[in-house]
Amino acid sequence: MPVALILILVLMIILLVFLLPGVIGAPYVPSEQKDLERAFTKLYKISEKDYLVDLGAGDGIVLKAAAAHGAKAIGVEINPLLAIYTSLKLRRVKGAKIKCGDMYTFELPSETTVVYAYANNFTIPRLYKRVQKEAKRLNKTIYLISNAFDFKTIKAQKHLAPYYLYKIEP
Ligand SMILES: C[S@@+](CC[C@H](N)C(=O)[O-])C[C@H]1O[C@@H](n2cnc3c(N)ncnc32)[C@H](O)[C@@H]1O
């Protein structure tokens, strides 16, 4: 097989891996560090008592920020290349890790106190339902921080642009 063809194939696979999550879920756009700091101090005061789950964890910026406040944090990311890259990035970050998987089927650990999502208008209602289901299964209240997107039908407990905070009861 000519080298050019192999290169095109590799390029197509890489593009697919990076673009597909954008088509079926949320595209890879990281949260802003300064917004995260505000969110974790003013919207939801995260601490060592918390266990945060980032649904669609991208490059792990949220996990790192949560861990910097002493919380434990786990992320789930559908893009395998991004998941590998992020797990390498997080290897020296105490309390933070990432798994490759689908956020719609990922079971929240029983210690989960807060879920973070940077999704989009189409996926956020589905994610809300998922967290609701998990809160029922675990029989505990779970907070949901949504970056940039709100649920039109449910009133947020707090709003601090660009974030919305929801309290989901079992
Ligand atoms: C907007 S980015 C947010 C990344 C990170 N949470 C942040 O705030 O910086 C959304 C991420 O969700 C991932 N994603 C999309 N669909 C997913 C799915 N079904 N399961 C897990 N991750 C998914 C994308 O690959 C992308 O990295």
Side-chain angles (χ1 to χ4, degrees):
M1 202 187 285
V3 178
L5 197 60
I6 296 174
L7 278 177
I8 290 172
L9 268 177
V10 170
L11 199 69
M12 278 172 67
I13 291 169
I14 292 175
L15 276 177
L16 254 183
V17 166
F18 278 94
L19 291 182
L20 203 60
V23 177
I24 58 172
Y28 170 53
V29 183
S31 294
E32 300 262 345
Q33 183 69 49
K34 64 170 181 7
D35 291 339
L36 280 169
E37 253 335 284
R38 260 162 45 85
F40 289 159
T41 51
K42 295 195 165 70
L43 181 85
Y44 179 93
K45 207 170 168 16
I46 201 163
S47 74
E48 65 282 348
K49 291 186 194 131
D50 283 296
Y51 193 111
L52 175 138
V53 179
D54 186 5
L55 296 176
D59 70 356
I61 187 169
V62 179
L63 304 173
K64 226 176 139 187
H69 286 268
K72 277 198 181 152
I74 186 168
V76 57
E77 172 55 53
I78 203 162
N79 178 334
L81 294 184
L82 201 48
I84 293 171
Y85 164 74
T86 302
S87 70
L88 289 174
K89 240 180 95 179
L90 292 177
R91 68 192 184 285
R92 284 197 199 91
V93 180
K94 198 170 159 258
K97 59 182 173 185
I98 188 163
K99 283 191 173 174
C100 186
D102 183 0
M103 60 191 177
Y104 298 114
T105 52
F106 182 73
E107 290 202 342
L108 299 184
S110 56
E111 310 96 296
T112 307
T113 53
V114 56
V115 169
Y116 185 99
Y118 187 4
N120 60 41
N121 271 328
F122 302 105
T123 52
I124 205 76
R126 195 172 161 200
L127 276 183
Y128 189 94
K129 280 198 187 114
R130 177 72 194 153
V131 179
Q132 238 174 359
K133 203 171 165 193
E134 287 293 276
K136 271 205 178 78
R137 180 179 66 82
L138 298 171
N139 192 26
K140 69 186 292 195
T141 297
I142 295 175
Y143 286 88
L144 173 63
I145 300 173
S146 171
N147 186 353
F149 299 97
D150 65 330
F151 311 92
K152 308 295 171 212
T153 51
I154 300 157
K155 196 174 159 35
Q157 208 185 38
K158 257 183 176 178
H159 172 48
L160 180 70
Y163 290 106
Y164 298 88
L165 178 72
Y166 297 89
K167 184 180 180 181
I168 304 184
E169 317 254 18

